[in-house]
Amino acid sequence: MLRHFLYLTNSRLVSMVTRGKHIAMRREFAASSAGAAQFDQHLASLAGAPVYLFTDLAEEDFRLDTVPHVGARDREAIMGRKLVQMFRNTPFRHAVVQGREAEGRRDDRVFYTAITNPEVLRPWLEAIERRHAPLAGIYSAAVFSSVMLDELDLLFPHTLLVTFTPGGAMRQTYFRNREIKFSRLTPIDPEEGQSLGTLISEETTRTWQYLDSLRHFAEEDRLEVCVMLHPTDRAVVQPALRDFAQIQHHILDIEQVAAKLGLRPAPLGSTCEEIFVHLFLLRPGQNHFASPEMRRFDTLRRAKAGILSFAGAAVLASLGWGAWNLQQALQKSDVDQRVAQQIQTLNGEYDAITRSLPSFGVGGSTMRDAVSFYNASIRGFPQVTDFAVALSGVLARHPGVRLAQLAWIATDDANATPVLRKVASSEGMPVTATGTPVAPVKAADAAAQGTFSSGRYEVAVIEGTVRVPINDFRGALDAVGRLASDLSAMPGTSAAIVESPLDLRTSAQIHGRHEGAEPDTMEPRFVLRVIRDHRAET
Amino acid sequence: MTPAFTREGWKVLRGAWIGLAGAIVAAILIVSGSHWYGVKERRDSAEAGRRLQEARAKVEGARRERDNLNESADVFRMLVDRGLLQREQRLDLVEMVNGLRSRYQLFGLDYEIAPQRPLPLPGGRVFPSIDVLASRVKLHAKALHEGDILGFMDELSKQRQGFHPVDECTMRRIAGAGDGRLQAHVEADCTLEWITLKDKGANRAG
């Protein structure tokens, strides 16, 4: 960023253009109408660069005063009135509050300064105004020089800073405890035979006397005179400077000062305007003399810069947000592409699987349902012939038993019992019993309703007779009991006697008839219920 | 009054204000555009994820079906061979029963084939792709020996064509059949279901 610094003395105006922290261009203009015209042209070439005007003029006046310690607004009003009273004929005035008195009412200590002859500034300010150059401020070099004490660590109770201005003048500024109290500008106009060193020594001694007359010093106080010089001048100045008990001289080598402040290249002479510019770049100061009206173009410049910065920030922020969003979206897009490839691969795999499926001219679901139905309902469905073969195997071990009837059903109801029509007869038996059967006959409900069972159970009712010696009912009961027991030994099978050869229950009625000659044997009737559970079987 | 809001200030700052307005509009467009694009990409991504899940599920289903069908293929081939998926060929059944009667020398054979009906399955089970149909067949047979009847029933249920599971059967000796004449000694009443399947898809196609 370009900045335009002006250093105005009574005889000339120095223009310094900085870029960043470096002085990029320097020009000097004579304090004349011709110089002002040249400056006007020069200013045209620097349109837009903010202007910082330092004044180092003989017409600057400095005064100390105290005001009652009041609120900020009232204090401003008081200081404003004081400034008008003190410097009635100039708009270039400034006040600095420096703290409070240590004693009494503890009033505020105020330092006033003004450029008592505004005409000195007029041609330059007119050019600035005419060119709409943004004037950032008008600064008193003397007041601003307090910054130099801080930066150069000149921490003395009483300091007299001696600097040289372009155009041959010497500025002496007195600081007590680093607060400016007084400043004066003296032309360097040595008398015949008087060297620069002698001149400085005499002038600083004169200043000490003046300050002492104003009771700035106690008896033991010493004024530290800091003279900023180029090495070329130092050789001629230093020998002339005599230290006393009240005055101690310090030479500030301007090249060393420049090096300490980071100013490159160092100034070529003892004038310190470039040092001030660099100090200002390091520690910008507040405007001293320029009114808001004079600074309006700078205000507008800063407003414009602020608006454009905000606009730029808005665009940058949106671009940043957009880029982040776009990056996220692109990541998702990459993922989507991979997903699309995966989907394509999966679809290809699906097609390959579909093509490889066994086909019988029907859909896969038809095949699945048909097989499922077969496995669930037909594959394990029992067959009556299997049951009859197993039954025959058992009956073979019971030669006295004669099968009269077999009723068989395949069902899912363990309680279902096939209906039996009585075939065998107990007629001719010497002893018979009448009563209700042990297990009432129950029709197969599911079969009656037409539902096709899975055939978990085979239920059979077996009617038969057992040949035993006449009246050997015990033997008949045992034979039927053994038969039931042998049937129950088949896997998953249990057999129960529904009607025994002789019903011995107390609820039954027994009839006996013995007459005449009886045959050798008898064949009492019995009924068994056999149930075979195929799940228990497995 | 701050210089920014004077006539002169407006003149100086007009470009900056226009620039700011343009920047704000551009920022809004950039933000809203990128937001819209981001939302679209997120939506597309979610959609792609959903399609990927669907594709995976589809392939997984196909693999399962392939495995199931490979396991079932032999069974299904047998079912097809036995005509389970064909229409009832009632004439074939009549001829088969007559043939078996002759082979097992049954003294008498009465049978009824009921009209075909959808076969109710336990628990009301239905299959999405097939209809289970059945015709109830009732047989009354008389034979010299129970072995003939059992042989007849066994061969009937093991026929290579169709499925005829016997779910009820009663065999009894015939009273008074022991006078030495050649006559039936045993009779049987049996009931079986003649089961066929119908492809619902073929039904729809037809």
Side-chain angles (χ1 to χ4, degrees):
Chain A
M1 178 187 173
L2 285 180
R3 285 189 173 92
H4 190 189
F5 288 90
L6 300 174
Y7 200 92
L8 179 64
T9 66
N10 287 91
S11 60
R12 62 187 59 221
L13 175 77
V14 181
S15 163
M16 292 161 283
V17 177
T18 62
R19 179 177 284 114
K21 297 286 184 186
H22 301 284
I23 296 171
M25 184 169 67
R26 176 191 172 105
R27 278 189 67 180
E28 292 191 17
F29 303 93
S32 63
S33 57
Q38 289 172 355
F39 174 69
D40 185 62
Q41 293 299 317
H42 175 62
L43 205 55
S45 67
L46 295 168
V51 177
Y52 305 84
L53 175 57
F54 282 83
T55 58
D56 203 347
L57 300 167
E59 288 81 357
E60 284 183 66
D61 194 0
F62 305 93
R63 297 187 192 180
L64 290 170
D65 194 11
T66 59
V67 297
H69 183 67
V70 292
R73 185 174 294 181
D74 291 340
R75 187 173 60 210
E76 288 296 321
I78 291 170
M79 290 191 307
R81 278 200 303 275
K82 287 263 186 180
L83 279 171
V84 172
Q85 288 168 5
M86 289 178 188
F87 311 112
R88 189 174 300 276
N89 297 321
T90 178
F92 305 111
R93 46 201 175 205
H94 179 62
V96 182
V97 178
Q98 294 186 319
R100 298 180 68 180
E101 294 276 281
E103 297 172 353
R105 290 190 309 181
R106 302 197 66 222
D107 286 347
D108 288 330
R109 287 182 281 106
V110 183
F111 178 79
Y112 298 99
T113 181
I115 299 170
T116 53
N117 181 10
E119 287 302 310
V120 182
L121 286 169
R122 190 179 53 78
W124 314 108
L125 291 179
E126 281 179 356
I128 289 170
E129 179 74 17
R130 190 164 51 247
R131 293 293 179 184
H132 290 186
L135 179 66
I138 302 174
Y139 308 89
S140 164
V143 175
F144 183 74
S145 63
S146 62
V147 174
M148 194 180 293
L149 301 189
D150 291 339
E151 290 296 322
L152 300 180
D153 299 325
L154 303 174
L155 308 175
F156 305 116
H158 302 275
T159 309
L160 185 67
L161 182 63
V162 179
T163 55
F164 297 93
T165 67
M170 181 177 75
R171 165 71 67 183
Q172 298 174 76
T173 307
Y174 167 63
F175 298 90
R176 189 168 68 199
N177 296 325
R178 288 190 286 169
E179 289 177 357
I180 183 170
K181 299 298 179 186
F182 170 75
S183 186
R184 64 188 277 255
L185 188 71
T186 311
I188 300 174
D189 189 14
E191 293 172 2
E192 193 172 337
Q194 188 183 29
S195 69
L196 179 61
T198 309
L199 179 91
I200 292 169
S201 181
E202 288 176 358
E203 286 297 329
T204 54
T205 302
R206 199 170 292 133
T207 301
W208 178 86
Q209 289 169 341
Y210 173 71
L211 293 172
D212 189 50
S213 70
L214 295 176
R215 302 187 184 282
H216 279 291
F217 305 124
E219 193 172 341
E220 66 278 7
D221 286 343
R222 187 173 68 186
L223 181 64
E224 312 288 341
V225 180
C226 302
V227 186
M228 187 173 292
L229 286 169
H230 192 271
T232 54
D233 293 329
R234 180 176 186 166
V236 294
V237 171
Q238 193 163 20
L241 300 176
R242 294 278 183 272
D243 292 341
F244 303 96
Q246 292 83 6
I247 298 177
Q248 175 82 41
H249 290 91
H250 305 270
I251 301 296
L252 303 176
D253 188 316
I254 203 165
E255 288 187 345
Q256 292 176 6
V257 169
K260 185 169 186 178
L261 298 178
L263 172 60
R264 290 190 191 87
L268 299 175
S270 292
T271 58
C272 60
E273 68 279 5
E274 293 183 11
I275 298 291
F276 276 111
V277 167
H278 205 70
L279 276 173
F280 190 88
L281 290 173
L282 291 175
R283 288 175 58 177
Q286 289 189 332
N287 165 56
H288 296 157
F289 298 129
S291 66
E293 172 66 14
M294 294 174 191
R295 299 172 63 205
R296 69 186 187 282
F297 290 115
D298 185 61
T299 305
L300 292 174
R301 179 191 65 83
R302 282 185 282 112
K304 187 176 182 179
I307 292 169
L308 291 177
S309 297
F310 183 78
V315 171
L316 279 178
S318 65
L319 282 173
W321 195 87
W324 178 80
N325 214 3
L326 195 63
Q327 188 249 349
Q328 299 282 320
L330 288 176
Q331 279 183 353
K332 289 207 173 297
S333 184
D334 288 345
V335 172
D336 288 352
Q337 284 184 356
R338 286 199 295 275
V339 166
Q341 287 173 352
Q342 286 179 324
I343 290 172
Q344 196 173 1
T345 305
L346 288 169
N347 284 338
E349 190 177 350
Y350 175 80
D351 292 341
I353 290 171
T354 306
R355 280 195 299 273
S356 70
L357 288 177
S359 174
F360 295 91
V362 295
S365 59
T366 302
M367 188 187 296
R368 189 170 50 242
D369 284 354
V371 172
S372 174
F373 168 72
Y374 172 78
N375 287 334
S377 302
I378 298 181
R379 184 195 287 268
F381 200 83
Q383 295 190 14
V384 64
T385 50
D386 293 342
F387 185 84
V389 168
L391 179 62
S392 296
V394 175
L395 289 176
R397 299 200 297 271
H398 297 267
V401 174
R402 185 167 181 265
L403 190 65
Q405 185 174 199
L406 167 68
W408 172 94
I409 59 170
T411 180
D412 290 331
D413 182 6
N415 296 318
T417 303
V419 178
L420 194 69
R421 194 180 70 198
K422 188 174 178 181
V423 173
S425 172
S426 296
E427 285 182 14
M429 298 291 295
V431 180
T432 58
T434 55
T436 55
V438 174
V441 174
K442 182 186 174 190
D445 292 341
Q449 293 167 7
T451 301
F452 185 69
S453 73
S454 66
R456 174 181 173 178
Y457 301 102
E458 290 178 78
V459 182
V461 176
I462 299 167
E463 183 188 26
T465 58
V466 56
R467 183 188 297 271
V468 292
I470 193 72
N471 292 322
D472 185 7
F473 291 99
R474 193 174 300 276
L477 289 170
D478 288 345
V480 173
R482 281 198 304 278
L483 175 62
S485 178
D486 286 350
L487 288 171
S488 296
M490 292 194 302
T493 307
S494 66
I497 300 170
V498 177
E499 293 181 38
S500 75
L502 182 63
D503 191 349
L504 298 176
R505 290 175 300 159
T506 55
S507 59
Q509 194 172 20
I510 293 178
H511 307 276
R513 174 180 283 181
H514 301 277
E515 59 181 3
E518 292 179 327
D520 294 337
T521 59
M522 63 177 183
E523 292 187 17
R525 175 179 174 272
F526 66 90
V527 175
L528 296 179
R529 181 177 182 272
V530 181
I531 180 166
R532 193 175 187 183
D533 183 354
H534 286 276
R535 286 194 195 163
E537 194 177 318
T538 56
Chain B
M1 188 182 196
T2 175
F5 300 108
T6 61
R7 183 186 294 268
E8 185 180 37
W10 171 246
K11 194 175 172 184
V12 172
L13 298 177
R14 185 174 55 195
W17 288 122
I18 292 171
L20 177 62
I24 289 171
V25 170
I28 290 170
L29 288 176
I30 290 168
V31 167
S32 56
S34 61
H35 177 71
W36 172 84
Y37 185 66
V39 167
K40 176 183 167 296
E41 278 301 316
R42 278 194 290 277
R43 197 169 51 233
D44 289 352
S45 186
E47 176 66 18
R50 190 185 60 73
R51 283 191 282 115
L52 179 64
Q53 291 301 322
E54 284 179 359
R56 280 180 178 150
K58 196 168 74 170
V59 169
E60 192 56 35
R63 283 178 185 152
R64 266 200 309 274
E65 186 171 12
R66 179 187 60 191
D67 295 344
N68 289 339
L69 291 181
N70 284 338
E71 288 173 8
S72 306
D74 293 339
V75 176
F76 187 73
R77 190 173 292 112
M78 181 269 291
L79 297 180
V80 171
D81 291 346
R82 290 184 66 168
L84 191 69
L85 282 163
Q86 293 176 5
R87 295 177 58 189
E88 266 184 8
Q89 303 295 332
R90 292 199 163 201
L91 183 57
D92 290 349
L93 183 71
V94 169
E95 289 173 351
M96 180 183 73
V97 168
N98 288 337
L100 289 175
R101 176 185 172 259
S102 300
R103 184 182 305 172
Y104 289 96
Q105 298 175 343
L106 300 182
F107 278 83
L109 177 65
D110 302 331
Y111 59 88
E112 285 176 20
I113 303 174
Q116 192 180 46
R117 74 194 191 287
L119 183 63
L121 296 174
R125 185 180 182 189
V126 292
F127 294 92
S129 299
I130 56 169
D131 288 323
V132 181
L133 306 174
S135 297
R136 196 152 182 83
V137 179
K138 290 184 177 178
L139 298 161
H140 178 76
K142 289 181 180 177
L144 181 64
H145 188 266
E146 63 265 26
D148 295 333
I149 292 179
L150 287 173
F152 172 82
M153 297 304 299
D154 187 44
E155 190 148 343
L156 179 63
S157 61
K158 291 180 179 173
Q159 275 297 307
R160 293 193 61 77
Q161 286 297 313
F163 287 92
H164 315 100
V166 178
D167 57 2
E168 287 182 30
C169 200
T170 302
M171 287 183 290
R172 65 181 73 83
R173 294 185 190 283
I174 298 173
D179 54 3
R181 288 185 296 152
L182 188 62
Q183 59 181 333
H185 286 199
V186 181
E187 64 178 353
D189 291 297
C190 295
T191 308
L192 59 89
E193 295 284 2
W194 181 16
I195 296 173
T196 52
L197 303 180
K198 192 172 182 181
D199 184 0
K200 286 181 180 175
N203 204 20
R204 280 195 293 273

